[in-house]
Amino acid sequence: MDDSVYANYPPPLTPEQQEYLVSTVKTWALHHGLCVRPAPTFIDKEKDPQGVLATNAPVTLFPSPFPKSAFEHAVAIQKAYNELYARIARDEAWLGKIIEDLIDADDFVANLWKVHLAVKSEGYVQPLSLGLFRSDYIPHRPPGSAESSLRQVEFNTISSSFGGLSALVAALHTDLLSLPPGNPIAYPPHPILKGNNPPENTAVPTLANGLADAHKAYGPSKFDSPLPLCILFIVQAGERNLFDQLELSTRLATFHKIPVFRLATADIQNHTSIPPSNPSRPLIYTPPHSPSTPFEVTTIYLRGFYGPGDYPNPATWAARTHLERSAAIKCPSVLSQLSGCKKVQQVLADPNADTDHLAHFLPNTDAQTIAKIRATFAPQYDLSTSGRGCELALNPSTAANHVLKPQREGGGNNIYRDAIPGFLRSMPEKDWKGWILMELIQPPEAARNMMLRSDGEVLSRHVISELGVFGTVLWRDDGEIVHNKQGGWLLRTKGKESDEGGVAAGFSSLDSIVLL
Amino acid sequence: MDDSVYANYPPPLTPEQQEYLVSTVKTWALHHGLCVRPAPTFIDKEKDPQGVLATNAPVTLFPSPFPKSAFEHAVAIQKAYNELYARIARDEAWLGKIIEDLIDADDFVANLWKVHLAVKSEGYVQPLSLGLFRSDYIPHRPPGSAESSLRQVEFNTISSSFGGLSALVAALHTDLLSLPPGNPIAYPPHPILKGNNPPENTAVPTLANGLADAHKAYGPSKFDSPLPLCILFIVQAGERNLFDQLELSTRLATFHKIPVFRLATADIQNHTSIPPSNPSRPLIYTPPHSPSTPFEVTTIYLRGFYGPGDYPNPATWAARTHLERSAAIKCPSVLSQLSGCKKVQQVLADPNADTDHLAHFLPNTDAQTIAKIRATFAPQYDLSTSGRGCELALNPSTAANHVLKPQREGGGNNIYRDAIPGFLRSMPEKDWKGWILMELIQPPEAARNMMLRSDGEVLSRHVISELGVFGTVLWRDDGEIVHNKQGGWLLRTKGKESDEGGVAAGFSSLDSIVLL
């Protein structure tokens, strides 16, 4: 697949074609739950005081071409990546060495580490941990190279989102490619689109199955008079992206027949408890709407608590500690969340390391798979004062080819190109170690798509697409991998003029794939 | 079932229970397409210029108790009702006698009749007609009687709506009755609700199957070089209730693999044509987004053109005539639409008629079924100057037990009780024949429910519920009934203080049923 595919893709639309496509996408999205709550910048709270409105999630009108070899590469290594991060998360000594080095520079990492230390001093009671992971990539093709390779942007170990909506976008584009039956004319005819449906997207059954397997692995209630068991989704208050989450909770309730409750981070302490008299520390959730029916939580699925904004006060840190010390299986544990630090990614990628970390963590993985993982690493550097990272970051001509990322996950905080030297010089050098410098990935130059925003505006732009591949892994602290699966994917596409890519923040759109 | 069931139904809610129930219903509705476009009184056009927003359809929080015997009565006679109205619609002489009597009093009926006469003079080319009917009832129990009987409110022969959303409300209430799995606590415990799911609601497959059977019965393209075939939904511009319609078109496209297009009434003449050279008069639909791919329309499904507001100018009447003269199977034909006049209902119900119309139209139906149909007729009268109807309508004490209805379908135009004498006196007597006087049905006094409006407001009220039963029938003008099915239902519940019941107009809510 080279740039020539974009010469006439997506096909140009007449006004009538665009009107049909846009109105079909709008109504399809709302009809199938491919939606979000409208942003306050679109509909302010005052206009919808009860919070009843929804609008389409931001989506592309066409699926984006993606190199088949790169897609298959990403899918092929996901289970090894699952295992790698499971093994990192259980190697407290190895991870701790990295984290303790960040504590001065990053309050958030420091606070998470404190939670771990507090629970460790008391003793963990739950040997199992669950990861619903998503590894994110951009196809990399510097000018002159014939093939795209796959470069990892980041590995998400907490709140890996958009599995639900991504599967719906694949279904939307598949419908557009096939409707009306027998004479598909929703899109103008185009050779790339002919008979080329997006690959199957099993994100919802895969992610739900991960949670269901953890739920089962928890075993029976830890009370003599057993309580009913449930899974608890910890969520942000006023979550606009709740329909993505509902795909998973609905699948758990209807297919797996597992009770699921949603609990906002601020309400954890009010509605959950750990009876002091029970040394197993079961976590009890008492539904406020049915206080006479307490449930025992087998699995905590965090769709909140992933960034500093989720911890506005010490009580929220206490709530996180409260969850962490409980017998519920955490998705993720604090250690697993910390293993998603960019610094871990950089240490794994360091070509000058004394140890081959991949070989160390994946002793049973064949060399070819390890090489395939290693091939996804972009050149990246820490910013220790005398190192190569500093040189590249402070020199405007080399900085121009780099991005500076904070340890933490979640978009919106990266510093790009020319802005890097000045940004670094504006902060004390001791804080530099909170950041990683990564060589910019060079996606296809000519890629284009059209996007329908959540407020109904239609954009046509040069774009960059980022692939996410989902995986689920359940492991025991003794190293046993109980469950390890891959399934489902996400394509997010943003306008090239925008360096940041959070869909929820409105910068980018959910997309699907035509493999080429 | 007597009023004692309402003594503690619906069960009272704590604030926490109400909050949980309301937020669950809100998100469930949007997640499953149980939605409507927000009314301009809620979100004005200026705030959402692209028309992307949706909100929950107005729904009850609880299913409403409904007498099992009455429900079964309504279901049992639907196929006979289908046949009755099919036979009325094909008896132009019988129907014409009634209609010609209304022409002076009702412009709308007069114009419809003109469309029929115009096409008749040219000659109809399509022998088949399709009805997607809905017969509406209220359980009637005057003070002192032990059992509710079933009284028909009206028989809808055009644009019988809410099959799609009604099935979703049944699914919503079923989910609320069973979630979380194993320990249903979405509702407070209540004996009426225990294990008592709403009856199966097959409205979507039934109605879609009716359209699909008509599509097949149309036969092959009427061109030597065959065109692809499609079904055309004729809709109102800016339809707020389009998600109800999407349930049917989606089922037709995905299950029956039949192409469906939506066309607004104002666009009919621009995008459809009947080639003058083809004596079979096939209707060609040329999608504006793909003008090189014309389709031949097998079946026209009217979700517009049902009331005077749909005909703002002579061009719209010409468009209706254009559709009527085509070879497409009409759902409904003009004659079938006219057979839904209240006057027809009144003539059928007239105990003093010279002829037994039911026996005449249903010669092959057993006497018991005919008696069951007759039992659903409320006492009703025309307003011929010397008749019983006038007496009852003009006397305030008897008017107080009646409702005055125009011939036309569609809520919002009825005159109730004390208002009747003054209203009649304010119009010329010659126009009285445009109206029917019907004895008011006396629904259970104590019925209550809670309703979530589309703007998020929650109401708790004494209510009246109206049952609709769906049926589909395809007939030939020679009298052959090709297809006759019953399936699916609708319960609409309105606050008792409101005399009118249009859900789309915001007066009432979609509901489901617990049979008692």
Side-chain angles (χ1 to χ4, degrees):
Chain A
M1 180 183 142
D2 62 36
D3 269 16
S4 68
V5 302
Y6 298 110
N8 61 350
Y9 191 89
L13 298 175
T14 65
E16 292 81 8
Q17 285 169 333
Q18 178 165 330
E19 190 189 329
Y20 179 82
L21 197 52
V22 168
S23 82
T24 303
V25 170
K26 273 182 199 167
T27 52
W28 193 104
L30 289 165
H31 184 214
H32 291 83
L34 174 52
C35 48
V36 294
R37 294 287 188 198
T41 48
F42 173 26
I43 299 293
D44 59 33
K45 179 79 184 158
E46 204 176 272
K47 285 279 161 194
D48 178 19
Q50 310 291 339
V52 289
L53 294 170
T55 179
N56 59 275
V59 292
T60 60
L61 296 186
F62 294 86
S64 283
F66 198 90
K68 192 171 185 216
S69 59
F71 182 81
E72 288 172 349
H73 183 171
V75 168
I77 58 179
Q78 184 60 35
K79 287 176 66 177
Y81 255 129
N82 288 345
E83 182 176 343
L84 174 63
Y85 276 87
R87 295 206 182 277
I88 289 171
R90 68 169 283 274
D91 192 337
E92 192 231 10
W94 187 91
L95 185 60
K97 208 168 138 236
I98 292 172
I99 298 304
E100 283 178 345
D101 207 35
L102 298 176
I103 283 175
D104 290 347
D106 191 325
D107 277 356
F108 181 63
V109 167
N111 279 321
L112 282 173
W113 188 245
K114 269 190 228 160
V115 172
H116 161 62
L117 291 180
V119 179
K120 182 185 169 191
S121 75
E122 185 183 12
Y124 278 92
V125 289
Q126 177 52 262
L128 290 161
S129 297
L130 176 67
L132 300 192
F133 295 151
R134 198 188 69 221
S135 187
D136 289 344
Y137 308 93
I138 291 179
H140 177 62
R141 198 159 57 83
S145 54
E147 273 295 313
S148 287
S149 58
L150 194 67
R151 283 213 170 158
Q152 188 180 53
V153 178
E154 62 181 351
F155 192 89
N156 300 282
T157 59
I158 184 166
S159 301
S160 307
S161 57
F162 293 115
L165 297 191
S166 177
L168 286 168
V169 178
L172 163 66
H173 287 159
T174 301
D175 269 6
L176 292 172
L177 285 163
S178 57
L179 291 179
N183 285 278
I185 54 170
Y187 290 131
H190 192 282
I192 286 182
L193 294 173
K194 198 163 173 160
N196 203 355
N197 281 348
E200 187 183 18
N201 193 336
T202 59
V204 173
T206 300
L207 297 172
N209 188 52
L211 289 160
D213 273 9
H215 179 80
K216 275 175 250 163
Y218 179 86
S221 168
K222 299 181 193 305
F223 290 95
D224 295 335
S225 302
L227 291 182
L229 305 176
C230 76
I231 293 176
L232 201 57
F233 281 30
I234 301 294
V235 299
Q236 296 177 324
E239 172 66 80
R240 292 185 47 230
N241 191 31
L242 82 164
F243 298 98
D244 180 52
Q245 301 167 1
L246 285 178
E247 292 291 317
L248 302 188
S249 51
T250 301
R251 172 90 182 171
L252 284 165
T254 58
F255 181 81
H256 295 285
K257 307 290 178 201
I258 296 172
V260 176
F261 297 97
R262 295 170 63 81
L263 184 60
T265 49
D267 295 329
I268 293 170
Q269 300 273 33
N270 293 330
H271 302 307
T272 69
S273 60
I274 299 172
S277 59
N278 190 322
S280 303
R281 288 186 234 146
L283 184 68
I284 298 177
Y285 169 65
T286 306
H289 61 286
S290 182
S292 62
T293 325
F295 282 74
E296 183 172 342
V297 180
T298 64
T299 310
I300 293 164
Y301 177 45
L302 297 186
R303 290 293 291 256
F305 270 171
Y306 54 80
D310 289 327
Y311 300 85
N313 53 46
T316 39
W317 283 108
R320 180 72 191 265
T321 307
H322 164 71
L323 297 181
E324 191 73 7
R325 67 185 287 275
S326 80
I329 298 170
K330 269 71 71 182
C331 177
S333 66
V334 165
L335 289 180
S336 182
Q337 179 173 0
L338 286 168
S339 71
C341 282
K342 303 293 176 297
K343 178 72 183 169
V344 169
Q345 196 185 3
Q346 180 260 315
V347 168
L348 292 173
D350 186 353
N352 303 318
D354 300 335
T355 324
D356 180 341
H357 298 300
L358 291 187
H360 165 70
F361 283 119
L362 299 172
N364 304 315
T365 301
D366 60 276
Q368 200 189 357
T369 302
I370 287 183
K372 276 189 181 166
I373 289 184
R374 206 182 311 274
T376 65
F377 295 155
Q380 49 199 293
Y381 311 90
D382 67 19
L383 294 170
S384 52
T385 320
S386 59
R388 174 92 177 118
C390 272
E391 266 177 64
L392 293 168
L394 295 172
N395 180 336
S397 72
T398 49
N401 192 32
H402 287 83
V403 53
L404 190 67
K405 298 179 163 194
Q407 302 308 324
R408 291 191 286 278
E409 295 198 41
N413 301 301
N414 296 342
I415 309 297
Y416 287 85
R417 303 185 183 90
D418 321 354
I420 297 172
F423 180 81
L424 280 177
R425 290 210 174 92
S426 74
M427 75 166 93
E429 283 192 25
K430 72 170 180 54
D431 290 346
W432 290 9
K433 60 187 167 188
W435 298 77
I436 294 298
L437 188 78
M438 187 189 271
E439 192 180 298
L440 276 169
I441 304 173
Q442 300 190 41
E445 276 289 319
R448 293 189 67 90
N449 208 329
M450 296 179 72
M451 294 167 283
L452 173 67
R453 299 197 318 195
S454 287
D455 62 1
E457 289 293 324
V458 177
L459 308 175
S460 179
R461 289 283 190 281
H462 278 106
V463 295
I464 297 175
S465 293
E466 184 170 326
L467 173 73
V469 171
F470 292 101
T472 59
V473 56
L474 178 66
W475 69 92
R476 197 174 290 279
D477 59 10
D478 64 7
E480 184 196 352
I481 306 278
V482 178
H483 156 130
N484 184 3
K485 305 219 159 127
Q486 182 280 321
W489 48 268
L490 162 70
L491 197 72
R492 272 180 303 183
T493 291
K494 60 184 174 177
K496 213 160 192 177
E497 72 277 43
S498 155
D499 271 325
E500 287 296 345
V503 170
F507 293 111
S508 74
S509 295
L510 297 165
D511 195 351
S512 82
I513 292 174
V514 278
L515 292 177
L516 290 182
Chain B
M1 179 183 142
D2 62 36
D3 269 16
S4 68
V5 302
Y6 299 109
N8 60 352
Y9 189 88
L13 299 175
T14 65
E16 292 81 7
Q17 284 169 333
Q18 179 164 329
E19 189 190 329
Y20 179 82
L21 197 52
V22 168
S23 82
T24 302
V25 169
K26 274 184 201 167
T27 54
W28 193 104
L30 290 165
H31 185 215
H32 292 82
L34 175 51
C35 47
V36 293
R37 295 286 187 197
T41 48
F42 173 25
I43 298 293
D44 59 36
K45 180 77 184 158
E46 202 177 276
K47 284 280 161 195
D48 178 18
Q50 310 291 339
V52 290
L53 294 170
T55 180
N56 59 276
V59 291
T60 60
L61 296 185
F62 295 85
S64 282
F66 198 89
K68 191 169 184 221
S69 57
F71 181 82
E72 289 171 348
H73 183 171
V75 167
I77 59 179
Q78 184 61 34
K79 286 175 66 177
Y81 256 130
N82 289 345
E83 182 176 343
L84 174 64
Y85 277 85
R87 297 205 181 277
I88 289 171
R90 68 169 283 277
D91 192 338
E92 194 230 8
W94 188 90
L95 186 60
K97 209 169 137 234
I98 293 174
I99 298 303
E100 283 177 345
D101 208 36
L102 297 176
I103 282 175
D104 290 348
D106 192 324
D107 278 356
F108 181 64
V109 166
N111 280 321
L112 281 174
W113 188 244
K114 269 190 227 159
V115 172
H116 160 64
L117 291 181
V119 178
K120 183 185 170 193
S121 74
E122 184 183 13
Y124 278 92
V125 289
Q126 177 54 260
L128 290 160
S129 296
L130 176 68
L132 298 193
F133 295 151
R134 199 189 67 219
S135 187
D136 290 343
Y137 308 93
I138 290 178
H140 176 63
R141 199 159 58 81
S145 54
E147 275 296 312
S148 286
S149 59
L150 195 64
R151 284 218 169 155
Q152 188 179 52
V153 178
E154 63 182 348
F155 192 87
N156 300 282
T157 59
I158 184 167
S159 301
S160 307
S161 58
F162 294 115
L165 297 191
S166 176
L168 285 169
V169 178
L172 162 67
H173 287 160
T174 302
D175 268 7
L176 292 171
L177 285 163
S178 57
L179 290 180
N183 285 278
I185 54 170
Y187 291 129
H190 192 282
I192 285 184
L193 295 173
K194 198 163 175 165
N196 204 352
N197 281 348
E200 189 184 19
N201 193 334
T202 59
V204 174
T206 299
L207 297 172
N209 188 54
L211 289 161
D213 273 8
H215 179 80
K216 275 175 252 162
Y218 179 86
S221 169
K222 300 184 192 301
F223 290 95
D224 295 334
S225 300
L227 291 181
L229 305 176
C230 76
I231 294 176
L232 202 56
F233 281 31
I234 301 294
V235 299
Q236 296 178 324
E239 171 66 81
R240 290 184 49 228
N241 191 31
L242 82 166
F243 298 99
D244 180 51
Q245 301 168 0
L246 285 178
E247 291 292 316
L248 302 188
S249 51
T250 300
R251 173 89 181 172
L252 285 165
T254 58
F255 182 81
H256 295 286
K257 308 291 179 200
I258 297 172
V260 177
F261 296 97
R262 295 170 62 81
L263 184 61
T265 49
D267 295 329
I268 292 171
Q269 300 274 32
N270 293 330
H271 302 308
T272 68
S273 60
I274 299 172
S277 60
N278 191 324
S280 303
R281 288 186 235 148
L283 183 69
I284 298 177
Y285 170 65
T286 306
H289 63 285
S290 182
S292 62
T293 324
F295 283 74
E296 183 172 342
V297 181
T298 64
T299 310
I300 292 164
Y301 176 46
L302 297 186
R303 291 293 291 256
F305 271 169
Y306 54 80
D310 288 328
Y311 301 84
N313 52 48
T316 39
W317 282 109
R320 181 71 191 269
T321 308
H322 164 71
L323 297 181
E324 192 73 7
R325 68 184 286 275
S326 80
I329 298 169
K330 270 69 72 182
C331 176
S333 67
V334 165
L335 289 180
S336 182
Q337 178 174 358
L338 286 168
S339 71
C341 281
K342 303 293 176 301
K343 178 71 185 171
V344 169
Q345 196 185 3
Q346 181 259 312
V347 168
L348 293 174
D350 186 354
N352 303 320
D354 300 335
T355 323
D356 181 342
H357 299 298
L358 291 187
H360 167 69
F361 283 118
L362 299 172
N364 303 315
T365 301
D366 60 275
Q368 197 188 1
T369 302
I370 287 183
K372 275 188 182 169
I373 289 185
R374 207 184 307 275
T376 65
F377 296 154
Q380 49 200 295
Y381 312 89
D382 65 20
L383 295 169
S384 52
T385 321
S386 60
R388 173 94 178 116
C390 272
E391 265 179 64
L392 293 167
L394 295 172
N395 179 340
S397 73
T398 49
N401 191 32
H402 287 81
V403 54
L404 190 66
K405 297 180 165 194
Q407 303 308 326
R408 291 194 284 280
E409 296 200 39
N413 301 303
N414 295 343
I415 310 297
Y416 288 87
R417 302 183 184 87
D418 319 356
I420 296 172
F423 179 82
L424 281 176
R425 291 210 172 91
S426 74
M427 75 164 94
E429 283 193 25
K430 73 172 178 56
D431 292 346
W432 290 9
K433 58 186 167 188
W435 299 78
I436 293 301
L437 189 76
M438 187 189 272
E439 191 179 300
L440 277 169
I441 305 172
Q442 300 191 40
E445 277 289 320
R448 293 189 66 93
N449 209 329
M450 296 179 72
M451 293 167 282
L452 173 66
R453 298 197 318 196
S454 285
D455 63 1
E457 289 294 323
V458 177
L459 309 174
S460 179
R461 290 283 187 281
H462 277 105
V463 294
I464 296 175
S465 294
E466 183 169 327
L467 174 72
V469 171
F470 292 101
T472 60
V473 58
L474 178 67
W475 69 94
R476 197 175 291 279
D477 57 12
D478 65 6
E480 183 197 352
I481 305 278
V482 180
H483 156 130
N484 184 2
K485 303 215 161 132
Q486 182 280 321
W489 47 269
L490 160 71
L491 198 73
R492 273 180 303 183
T493 291
K494 59 183 175 177
K496 214 162 193 174
E497 74 276 43
S498 155
D499 269 326
E500 287 297 342
V503 169
F507 293 110
S508 73
S509 296
L510 296 165
D511 195 351
S512 83
I513 292 173
V514 279
L515 291 178
L516 287 183

